[in-house]
Amino acid sequence: MKFQVPAFSRLICWLPVLLFLLGLPDMLTAQEKKRVDIEEADYLDSNEKIVANALRLIGNVRIRHNEVLMWCDSAYSYNGTNRVDAFGNVHINQGDTAHLYAEMIYYDGDRSFARAIRNVRLVDKSTTLYSDTVDYDLIQNLGYYDDNGKIVDSTSVLTSKIAKYYVNEDVVHFYQQVVGQNEKYTLTGDTVLYNTNTGIFTIQGPTTIKDSANTVYGEKGWYNSRTGEAKLLKNPRVYNEKQTMKGDVIDYDRNKGYGKAAGAIEIFDQENNVLVRGRHAWFEEETETAFITDSAEFIMISDGDSLFLHADTLKTVSDTIPDEKIIKAYFGVRFYRKDLQGKCDSLVYFSRDSTVQLFNLPVLWSDIHQMTASYIEMRSRKPAPDEVILRSDAFIISRQDSVMYDQVKGKNMTGYILDQKLDHIFVDGNGQTIYYTRDKEDVIGLNRAESGKIGIQFRDSKIYKISFLNKTEGKLTPIPQLTDPERRLAGFDWKESIRPLSKEDIFRKPDSKEVKEKMEEGKMENEK
């Protein structure tokens, strides 16, 4: 009887052979790839007592392993492996990629890995890496050092403690004690990526970039070392000896001297002790101009008595006097200081003498006093007193209680401030006053007087003395005989409802009455 092996069983018997035959090309290729060829050497030697299982190559050595070429003065090639220890003027090149130079290189062809030691250079096009020791992965074309080194390209020199150079991508990863510089900038950081082709730094940790005008800091973002452009995304700031800008995001162009910021912005002027805040900002270095919008706030810092101002838009420009600034505030201006509050449509501040100009429906409040006019100007004087100038339709109201208001009205006025209180005023043109006269603490009547020029002295925020400088018309009315209309001069408008009551209250928007007043005034101006 003849025994037959089932077809399935025969297939299992042949399976190992089939697998071997299928894998044979790969095995042969692998063996071919691993072969180290000695193409040239002046002298070959082998001494088991010196180096076991190795062939010693001396003089004008050239070795090839697949696409890798190696030149050196001498080498050891280890039998049965693809390891080569090369010494003296060692040079490795793989295809058209980077060239590796060193005094000594340990090459492992099985891992496509080389360790270069002493006076190491890794050269690719116009970029060269220098270090004392470099590990080089020939598969990834990756050079690595971890004990200080530098990279030099056509524009910059960069040093660090640790670096990885991805030759194929033209990118270097720098870590620890990173310094990059050329004649236009100096960069220091902790973790930075650098593209040798574009000159762009990718910032991944605390990094400072200094040029001739400013210092830029950020912890995330990028910087183009060739164009001077930067975008900073984490804790960014731009600063110099005079000013510092912070924001959530800052764009900066070194060559154009231009920048913009967004988010929680702060600009601090060290020279003038001024802080500006907002949500969007633009600045130009050459003209020393800056714009701030969206929750814009101007803070004039003073010991215990800072002034806080808000407007839709703030603009700073350089004055004709060196190192001095002009700050302009537009639309919906409101400000607060403990002893002084105000509002207007637009305002200008001069740092050279601390003069403040208020335009379009300006109002000032100080203690119990309210001052209005078509135009108001505040001048800081040394020595005191400071001045408050009211031009056209000047009106001062001093609230004594909920019913009694001392009032002064005229064409123009100048008020004088001593110890942060209204001390005296001078009325020039069409002067009118009504004020409550007293016998000691008792109010006995309401005095109404008119004169072309009037001088008024205050004491304890009350009218203490009045001097009429030309023809006077006056009348004293006892309190019981007063009517409500007699208690008010024409144009009386106590604006307490729109008075800023705190530094937070400056952001309160005008009510409908304010808007109506502005529209009516604009209509009257157009009719003129």
Side-chain angles (χ1 to χ4, degrees):
M1 181 177 179
K2 189 176 180 180
F3 181 77
Q4 294 184 345
V5 179
F8 181 73
S9 299
R10 292 199 302 271
L11 179 60
I12 291 177
C13 293
W14 282 98
L15 185 58
V17 178
L18 291 172
L19 291 175
F20 173 79
L21 292 174
L22 289 171
L24 184 60
D26 291 336
M27 294 171 64
L28 292 174
T29 302
Q31 289 179 0
E32 182 181 350
K33 286 182 178 179
K34 290 180 179 179
R35 181 179 177 182
V36 170
D37 291 329
I38 302 169
E39 293 189 342
E40 186 176 342
D42 292 344
Y43 177 75
L44 281 71
D45 187 20
S46 178
N47 190 331
E48 293 290 325
K49 293 181 179 180
I50 298 175
V51 178
N53 196 32
L55 183 64
R56 187 183 182 194
L57 315 175
I58 301 172
N60 298 310
V61 178
R62 186 175 71 206
I63 296 173
R64 182 183 297 274
H65 179 230
N66 298 322
E67 294 183 356
V68 177
L69 266 175
M70 177 189 296
W71 298 265
C72 61
D73 293 339
S74 63
Y76 286 104
S77 177
Y78 294 89
N79 300 327
T81 72
N82 287 295
R83 290 196 303 111
V84 176
D85 296 342
F87 307 92
N89 299 309
V90 188
H91 173 198
I92 286 182
N93 173 242
Q94 179 176 246
D96 294 327
T97 60
H99 295 260
L100 180 64
Y101 303 87
E103 292 184 16
M104 186 165 46
I105 291 181
Y106 300 118
Y107 174 75
D108 187 341
D110 293 331
R111 296 191 296 136
S112 293
F113 172 83
R115 170 164 288 178
I117 299 173
R118 290 203 295 271
N119 299 322
V120 182
R121 290 181 295 134
L122 177 60
V123 182
D124 179 56
K125 299 185 282 290
S126 61
T127 302
T128 302
L129 179 153
Y130 298 88
S131 185
D132 189 64
T133 302
V134 171
D135 289 345
Y136 188 55
D137 185 331
L138 287 97
I139 295 177
Q140 298 187 64
N141 266 343
L142 166 64
Y144 171 84
Y145 66 76
D146 61 3
D147 190 20
N148 299 306
K150 70 177 178 180
I151 285 185
V152 179
D153 66 9
S154 59
T155 61
S156 301
V157 177
L158 303 107
T159 61
S160 67
K161 184 176 181 181
I162 301 171
K164 292 181 179 180
Y165 181 16
Y166 294 85
V167 177
N168 293 342
E169 289 80 20
D170 297 318
V171 173
V172 188
H173 295 213
F174 291 99
Y175 306 95
Q176 299 181 24
Q177 303 169 24
V178 183
V179 178
Q181 58 187 351
N182 62 20
E183 69 279 2
K184 294 183 178 179
Y185 78 94
T186 298
L187 176 146
T188 58
D190 177 73
T191 303
V192 176
L193 277 60
Y194 178 68
N195 189 301
T196 60
N197 186 40
T198 64
I200 295 176
F201 290 94
T202 300
I203 299 167
Q204 297 185 339
T207 303
T208 300
I209 306 162
K210 187 174 183 178
D211 60 28
S212 59
N214 292 302
T215 299
V216 178
Y217 173 86
E219 297 173 15
K220 184 179 180 182
W222 57 266
Y223 172 72
N224 190 320
S225 62
R226 297 174 187 173
T227 67
E229 297 173 277
K231 190 178 189 71
L232 308 173
L233 305 173
K234 183 178 180 181
N235 297 325
R237 64 179 182 267
V238 178
Y239 59 93
N240 53 38
E241 294 179 353
K242 299 178 181 179
Q243 292 185 329
T244 299
M245 170 184 274
K246 299 179 182 179
D248 292 339
V249 178
I250 293 180
D251 291 273
Y252 175 68
D253 191 320
R254 180 192 67 215
N255 293 341
K256 294 181 180 178
Y258 170 82
K260 62 181 181 179
I265 299 165
E266 288 189 356
I267 303 175
F268 180 59
D269 186 331
Q270 291 96 316
E271 287 189 329
N272 298 296
N273 216 23
V274 167
L275 177 64
V276 179
R277 294 172 175 164
R279 301 291 299 178
H280 293 93
W282 302 261
F283 66 93
E284 294 180 354
E285 293 172 1
E286 184 175 354
T287 60
E288 296 186 25
T289 300
F291 286 90
I292 300 93
T293 64
D294 191 358
S295 304
E297 182 181 13
F298 168 84
I299 304 173
M300 190 184 302
I301 300 172
S302 179
D303 293 337
D305 195 18
S306 299
L307 183 142
F308 299 83
L309 180 147
H310 164 66
D312 289 346
T313 301
L314 294 173
K315 179 182 179 181
T316 64
V317 298
S318 58
D319 203 339
T320 54
I321 300 174
D323 298 326
E324 297 294 347
K325 294 287 188 295
I326 299 174
I327 298 176
K328 301 180 179 181
Y330 300 98
F331 315 122
V333 179
R334 291 167 60 81
F335 60 87
Y336 174 85
R337 195 174 68 189
K338 290 179 181 179
D339 64 306
L340 181 70
Q341 302 83 46
K343 69 153 294 286
C344 59
D345 185 64
S346 56
L347 176 148
V348 179
Y349 168 76
F350 298 85
S351 68
R352 65 175 182 261
D353 57 6
S354 298
T355 295
V356 180
Q357 299 173 340
L358 290 78
F359 302 89
N360 199 354
L361 297 175
V363 187
L364 288 179
W365 293 271
S366 178
D367 195 16
I368 67 169
H369 308 293
Q370 173 185 289
M371 291 167 269
T372 58
S374 296
Y375 167 82
I376 297 178
E377 182 173 308
M378 296 184 290
R379 298 176 181 174
S380 181
R381 301 294 192 193
K382 290 183 179 180
D386 296 338
E387 294 181 7
V388 179
I389 299 170
L390 292 79
R391 295 178 183 169
S392 184
D393 297 326
F395 207 132
I396 297 179
I397 303 172
S398 303
R399 185 177 187 269
Q400 305 302 324
D401 61 23
S402 60
V403 178
M404 297 188 300
Y405 296 85
D406 291 344
Q407 299 156 56
V408 182
K409 181 180 178 182
K411 183 178 180 181
N412 300 307
M413 292 188 203
T414 303
Y416 299 90
I417 311 297
L418 281 173
D419 299 326
Q420 299 182 340
K421 292 184 178 181
L422 184 61
D423 183 77
H424 62 284
I425 60 174
F426 175 73
V427 183
D428 185 11
N430 305 324
Q432 301 178 53
T433 67
I434 60 174
Y435 62 95
Y436 291 88
T437 59
R438 291 169 173 78
D439 182 9
K440 296 182 180 180
E441 295 300 322
D442 297 327
V443 178
I444 61 174
L446 181 67
N447 201 333
R448 177 185 290 264
E450 296 182 4
S451 178
K453 297 181 184 294
I454 305 174
I456 302 174
Q457 189 80 32
F458 289 84
R459 180 181 290 179
D460 297 329
S461 299
K462 299 179 178 64
I463 294 177
Y464 169 70
K465 181 180 180 181
I466 296 183
S467 302
F468 300 98
L469 306 182
N470 52 20
K471 185 179 179 180
T472 305
E473 295 181 6
K475 176 183 177 183
L476 177 63
T477 303
I479 294 299
Q481 299 176 18
L482 280 176
T483 62
D484 285 341
E486 290 178 313
R487 294 177 180 268
R488 306 285 188 266
L489 289 174
F492 175 93
D493 185 6
W494 183 246
K495 301 176 181 288
E496 183 72 17
S497 62
I498 61 172
R499 181 177 187 174
L501 302 178
S502 66
K503 63 182 182 181
E504 293 80 18
D505 196 37
I506 60 175
F507 293 97
R508 178 159 53 98
K509 295 295 183 181
D511 58 20
S512 58
K513 183 179 179 182
E514 282 267 66
V515 175
K516 184 177 179 181
E517 285 179 347
K518 190 176 295 186
M519 292 176 63
E520 289 177 351
E521 183 177 65
K523 183 178 179 181
M524 291 173 63
E525 289 295 327
N526 292 334
E527 289 176 351
K528 290 179 181 179

